[in-house]
Amino acid sequence: MHSNFETLIENFATNQIGICDHFLSEELAAKLKIDLISLFQDDQFNSAGTGNHETLQTNQLIRKDKIYWLDRNHNNPFQNSFFDLLDDFIVYLNSTCFTGITGYEFHYTYYEKDSFYKKHIDQFKNNNDRAFSMIIYLNENWKKEDGGELNIFQCNSSQLISPLSGKCVFFKSSELAHEVLVTQLPRLSITGWLKTN
Ligand code: OGA
Ligand code: MN
């Protein structure tokens, strides 16, 4: 497990974008996917917004994904296994990189066919608690023609990342602009932020 954490952190240190292809075991990814789909079918997801508090708005021209906030209090064994993994990662990150992460927030994300999220930065204008962004994908057998790549912008270039099951992407929330390209199939993920303060 620590070798996954090491991969993520080393990639991040060299490229500003950490990528680990098998951050989740196949088994946990499959269980989380089943949980996500069943919550979606039970109508537990809401349209995602942009901004926070008084600046929160939902604008389907900017993003069309639907979300469900994860919480240990749901007492869901798979969500809690995910939080256990995350807690281990944060201990490792804080002790090796002195990042001072003190909390996090994570949600399931569902992009229906034809959904997208236009170019943006994850940090709010009025709050810099979000230190790192993490996205973990839950889509098996994703193919190029399915679209829905994460496109991350850096200086004069950009990097396309396919949303393949088990993969984790990790970057600084204040620094890298990114977008989600139009997806041709339902696209499932866990998205969250590691926070300071
Ligand atoms: C986000 C986001 C990227 C992705 O939810 O803020 O940029 O690949 N997600 O899902
Ligand atoms: Mn984002």
Side-chain angles (χ1 to χ4, degrees):
M1 187 162 60
H2 281 181
S3 72
N4 281 340
F5 299 166
E6 214 32 59
T7 304
L8 204 56
I9 292 168
E10 269 175 23
N11 273 316
F12 166 76
T14 13
N15 308 319
Q16 291 182 289
I17 306 172
I19 301 179
C20 173
D21 285 331
H22 304 287
F23 188 77
L24 297 183
S25 68
E26 270 179 41
E27 189 191 355
L28 183 57
K31 300 248 165 79
L32 289 164
K33 180 180 179 185
I34 291 169
D35 183 42
L36 187 161
I37 290 173
S38 105
L39 289 159
F40 187 79
Q41 287 172 345
D42 277 352
D43 245 355
Q44 300 296 310
F45 278 59
N46 294 310
S47 290
T50 53
N52 61 351
H53 307 300
E54 56 278 12
T55 65
L56 180 68
Q57 16 179 321
T58 57
N59 183 340
Q60 308 251 309
L61 297 174
I62 299 177
R63 65 186 296 189
K64 287 185 67 166
D65 53 322
K66 297 197 169 130
I67 65 172
Y68 172 90
W69 287 102
L70 301 179
D71 196 314
R72 277 201 185 267
N73 291 332
H74 296 155
N75 291 322
N76 175 285
F78 313 124
Q79 295 176 27
N80 286 353
S81 298
F82 173 72
F83 282 130
D84 291 343
L85 175 64
L86 212 53
D87 288 341
D88 287 344
F89 176 62
I90 289 168
V91 168
Y92 192 82
L93 183 70
N94 280 343
S95 64
T96 55
C97 304
F98 308 103
T99 32
I101 299 303
T102 52
Y104 51 69
E105 51 189 5
F106 275 82
H107 59 63
Y108 280 149
T109 317
Y110 195 112
Y111 286 80
E112 290 166 286
K113 176 177 164 23
D114 297 328
S115 300
F116 53 81
Y117 192 163
K118 297 279 190 200
K119 187 173 175 183
H120 65 281
I121 285 181
D122 284 348
Q123 209 169 64
F124 298 122
K125 290 196 176 75
N126 53 4
N127 179 325
N128 57 10
D129 289 358
R130 287 180 171 183
F132 297 99
S133 303
M134 278 180 92
I135 307 132
I136 299 106
Y137 299 107
L138 301 175
N139 312 290
E140 291 139 59
N141 307 317
W142 199 262
K143 295 186 289 304
K144 184 140 189 36
E145 60 266 31
D146 302 331
E149 290 97 343
L150 169 62
N151 190 25
I152 306 192
F153 298 89
Q154 280 175 299
C155 301
N156 301 320
S157 67
S158 71
Q159 184 175 340
L160 283 180
I161 299 168
S162 63
L164 266 169
S165 193
K167 185 190 287 183
C168 176
V169 182
F170 174 78
F171 55 91
K172 258 197 172 162
S173 303
S174 59
E175 282 180 8
L176 297 185
H178 54 282
E179 66 185 340
V180 176
L181 302 182
V182 176
T183 182
Q184 305 302 327
L185 289 178
R187 176 194 194 268
L188 317 182
S189 56
I190 302 176
T191 314
W193 298 276
L194 308 188
K195 298 165 75 165
T196 51
N197 300 332

